[in-house]
Amino acid sequence: MSSAAVVLIIIVLVVIVALLAAAGTGKLARLDGATYPAALMRSAAAFAAVLTLAAAVASALASLRN
């Protein structure tokens, strides 16, 4: 398998995990009594946090590799 394919698979997996985290956060926010806009904002924050964490980990691993 080429390295480009591996990178694309990893990117897809990270986005899926971010979407699952956002969906879970939104559902928990609604169960907590938050309004729909507030739950959406919490979901967006969780989605961004997961993507930021993935980028930071990738950056750290890339710096260790070189």
Side-chain angles (χ1 to χ4, degrees):
M1 188 182 290
S2 69
S3 63
V6 172
V7 169
L8 286 176
I9 290 172
I10 291 173
I11 290 171
V12 168
L13 287 174
V14 167
V15 170
I16 288 172
V17 168
L19 287 171
L20 288 172
T25 302
K27 181 63 176 174
L28 288 174
R30 282 296 296 155
L31 289 174
D32 195 35
T35 62
Y36 282 107
L40 185 61
M41 289 298 294
R42 290 183 193 175
S43 294
F47 182 78
V50 171
L51 290 182
T52 303
L53 180 62
V57 168
S59 175
L61 290 176
S63 68
L64 288 176
R65 187 173 181 204
N66 291 331

